[in-house]
Amino acid sequence: MQDIKDYLAVRTERYRGSNDDRDYVFLTRVNDGAPPLSTRAIEALVKKYTKAFKINKTMSPHKLRHTYGTNLMEQSGSFIY
């Protein structure tokens, strides 16, 4: 939790967000405020980093979430609801 609090402090300064605005963790950088990342922006980031790491598979935010959930379940030996 401390890492998230530290990030939020930096985010507030860098993106001119509000300390009271905790609805979104990741924001876009724009000239007139700091709206949350859009679905398309997140998809573009996943695609960008998939290419950067030279992964020869298509990747999406949903696949990342599913993979994380599967790995978590396998490590714990139980389903998480």
Side-chain angles (χ1 to χ4, degrees):
M1 285 304 295
Q2 187 59 48
D3 289 339
I4 292 173
K5 289 177 184 177
D6 293 344
Y7 166 76
L8 290 173
V10 171
R11 179 203 73 175
T12 299
E13 181 180 322
R14 185 174 293 166
Y15 297 109
R16 289 181 271 149
S18 164
N19 273 331
D20 298 328
D21 182 18
R22 306 275 173 132
D23 290 339
Y24 303 100
V25 175
F26 302 106
L27 305 173
T28 60
R29 185 181 304 174
V30 295
N31 292 331
D32 58 351
L37 284 175
S38 69
T39 303
R40 296 289 180 208
I42 293 169
E43 289 171 352
L45 287 170
V46 170
K47 185 176 182 177
K48 173 184 173 180
Y49 288 107
T50 299
K51 280 185 176 183
F53 287 105
K54 299 181 181 174
I55 300 169
N56 293 325
K57 296 181 181 181
T58 58
M59 189 57 65
S60 69
H62 177 76
K63 284 183 184 180
L64 285 175
R65 188 181 75 186
H66 180 75
T67 301
Y68 174 76
T70 301
N71 288 339
L72 190 62
M73 185 188 70
E74 288 173 352
Q75 289 176 7
S76 69
S78 64
F79 288 96
I80 298 174
Y81 295 100

